[in-house]
Structures are given as structure tokens and as C-alpha cells.
Amino acid sequence: MGRVQTSFSFRYELLNSEPFVLVKLSILMELFEGYYFCQAQREDFFQRAKPYKGHPTIMRMQKLAKELGVVIPVSFFEEANNAHYNSIAIIDADGSDLGLYRKSHIPDGPGYQEKFYFNPGDTGFKVFETKFAKIGVAICWDQWFPEAARAMVLQGAEILLYPTAIGSEPQDQGLDSRDHWKRVMQGHAGANLVPLVASNRIGKEVIQTEHGKSEITFYGNSFIAGPTGEIVASANDKEEAVLVAEFDLANIKSKRHSWGIFRDRRPDLYKVLLTLDGSNPRT
């Protein structure tokens, strides 16, 4: 198992019920069962993939979620007949499986050669109604796309979660994207007025590739952002960590509604977003 940084809990204040409900969610990083194998294009790594139904890690996490009373999104390498996906199953606090999300945006670059292994996800962006809150969950490269965050919040997501595997760039050891990575997601939180959690891995991983050894140092820096994009808890780049934050989700909902960002949207003007080059939008 890779070295993980983030699990978290929220305190959810209800207006007409108990004064506080502890919202307990635990999120591990992307593909946490082992090292990040996508540094290499290797045929033997397809043996890591398993079908969604009956997946042993998901079944183990179902037992754990029920035992601890926590929500656990479970990242895994999915085999679906001849297709393969970078997927996540959402396990509710009673151990029930709420469904599956398949990563939509698949990167392909030095050290992050995911297109060799994964088909583009076909589930669309989804929101899962857990015991504690409605959550939107996307995976790593998805976090760079504001459309994904907006799509989940439009469907009612109260919290956004992003399990991640990101670090150094094998082709350019001087390139450090960590601050850029944080700011992009802080923007998603602020633009949608929802808390956001990003969980990354840490440590150096060396993989034998078809061209020799490839090395990535994952920079951690897992964090929890508040609904204006402020970072309320963060980890460093070397140590495992458990992050905890308290949010009043009912109050955040009220502020989200009164701020007007969803009232004043103009979907009729956004057809250009359905194009790749900004021209010939669908009518």
C-alpha cells in the first residue's frame, strides 16, 4: 500500500435537529493498494486490475466502514470485460456500496502514462448521498477541470473529494506543481462555495520501465479547503497525516444560496463549453 496522508471528519450543524452531527469520512489517495504503476507501460501491470463486483479490497472496506461508522471512497484499478478504468467505489457508513465513479480525464505524459491502462470513464460526474452528506468524488487529473467541480455541485454535492497521485515530473526535476495544484482546487471550493478535500501520496517510488528506471517523488501536501477557498488544514510533503476540520454545512448551504452564483448562472450562454476549439457550438 502506498503511503497515505489524509482522512478527515466534519462537524455538521443541523438547524432543527440535534445540535451537532459528526460527519465522518475517510479518504485515501488514488490507487492506494500499491505503488503508482503508471510510470511505466507494462503489460504485466494489467494483472492488478479486478472486476468491481466481488473486489476484495472493496469488500474489506465495506466491513471497515460499517465497523467504524465512516464513509470510505475506495480507489481501485477496475477490469470490466475488455475495458479498464481508474475507478472509485463509495462505501457508506453502514457498509453499503452506493455506486461507482470512473475517472473521466485520463492523463498521458512522462511518469503519468495512464492512457496505456485506462479507458476514459463513462459514468459521468456523480453525487452520492451518504449517511452524513451529499459528496462529489472525482479522481486526480479531474481536479484540474472546473467543469467537473461545477457539475458535481450542480447535482447537490455539499463536499468535493479528490483522491490523487501527483508529484515530481521525471522529465524535469525542476518542475514543482504543488502550489499550482492547490490553487486550482482552492478555486473550485471558492467558486462553488463548498468544502473540498484533496488526498495525495508521499514518498519516492521507482518503477522499472521499458526504457530503464523512472522515479517520482510524490509531494503530499494533502489539504482541506473551506467554502471560500481558504486552506483550513494541510499536511507536509514527507509525513503521513490525519487532517480534521469542522464545517457547518447548513450554514454553508445558506451562504451558497444567498451569494447568487447559482441563481445568476446563464447555461444558455455556455454552449461553447460543449466544443473542443470554441467554435461551432451545438445548438
Side-chain angles (χ1 to χ4, degrees):
M1 174 174 166
R3 295 177 65 197
V4 66
Q5 279 202 315
T6 307
S7 65
F8 62 97
S9 64
F10 291 105
R11 191 168 69 172
Y12 184 0
E13 184 177 2
L14 300 174
L15 298 180
N16 298 306
S17 184
E18 299 294 330
F20 291 103
V21 175
L22 185 64
V23 180
K24 296 189 292 185
L25 304 101
S26 181
I27 177 109
L28 302 171
M29 71 279 191
E30 179 185 22
L31 300 171
F32 68 89
E33 292 178 282
Y35 48 78
Y36 180 74
F37 54 87
C38 304
Q39 289 195 60
Q41 295 187 15
R42 284 177 44 177
E43 185 177 308
D44 57 315
F45 284 165
F46 279 100
Q47 298 173 17
R48 293 170 168 268
K50 295 182 177 63
Y52 171 36
K53 297 301 181 183
H55 194 291
T57 301
I58 295 174
M59 294 173 67
R60 175 68 185 93
M61 289 298 184
Q62 286 182 274
K63 293 179 181 178
L64 186 62
K66 183 175 182 180
E67 176 186 339
L68 300 178
V70 300
V71 176
I72 306 177
V74 182
S75 173
F76 68 104
F77 185 8
E78 180 192 2
E79 177 184 285
N81 295 322
N82 289 308
H84 295 82
Y85 299 99
N86 187 337
S87 299
I88 194 159
I90 311 303
I91 309 303
D92 208 352
D94 62 358
S96 59
D97 185 344
L98 298 181
L100 182 75
Y101 168 71
R102 290 168 170 164
K103 186 173 181 177
S104 300
H105 304 96
I106 310 299
D108 186 37
Y112 303 90
Q113 301 178 70
E114 294 193 18
K115 279 187 167 64
F116 181 76
Y117 297 100
F118 307 127
N119 295 82
D122 58 0
T123 59
F125 302 109
K126 301 172 71 174
V127 170
F128 301 89
E129 189 161 0
T130 73
K131 176 181 177 180
F132 304 116
K134 293 179 180 179
I135 62 173
V137 185
I139 303 170
C140 201
W141 191 225
D142 289 332
Q143 67 207 182
W144 294 86
F145 296 85
E147 300 90 341
R150 178 54 56 90
M152 290 185 284
V153 179
L154 278 173
Q155 295 176 77
E158 299 171 281
I159 305 166
L160 296 178
L161 307 176
Y162 290 98
T164 304
I166 190 169
S168 60
E169 304 290 336
Q171 83 285 4
D172 183 357
Q173 291 300 316
L175 177 59
D176 186 349
S177 64
R178 77 184 70 193
D179 290 337
H180 185 186
W181 172 75
K182 288 181 180 179
R183 285 192 294 266
V184 166
M185 284 183 283
Q186 288 176 260
H188 298 337
N192 292 285
L193 273 79
V194 293
L196 179 150
V197 182
S199 176
N200 193 18
R201 62 176 63 208
I202 54 174
K204 181 187 295 185
E205 296 184 10
V206 180
I207 302 292
Q208 185 66 44
T209 78
E210 63 277 23
H211 303 298
K213 291 183 179 179
S214 177
E215 176 182 305
I216 293 178
T217 300
F218 293 93
Y219 52 60
N221 279 261
S222 300
F223 68 92
I224 302 174
T228 64
E230 76 281 17
I231 291 182
V232 298
S234 61
N236 61 30
D237 60 356
K238 294 181 175 61
E239 299 172 327
E240 294 183 348
V242 175
L243 304 181
V244 178
E246 293 185 0
F247 295 106
D248 180 343
L249 296 183
N251 183 57
I252 292 172
K253 179 180 179 180
S254 179
K255 290 187 179 300
R256 184 166 57 248
H257 290 175
S258 65
W259 199 251
I261 56 173
F262 289 94
R263 178 197 64 211
D264 296 336
R265 292 183 67 251
R266 292 291 307 276
D268 56 311
L269 301 180
Y270 305 153
K271 293 183 177 65
V272 68
L273 295 178
L274 300 178
T275 73
L276 291 177
D277 64 357
S279 63
N280 298 319
R282 298 175 186 174
T283 57

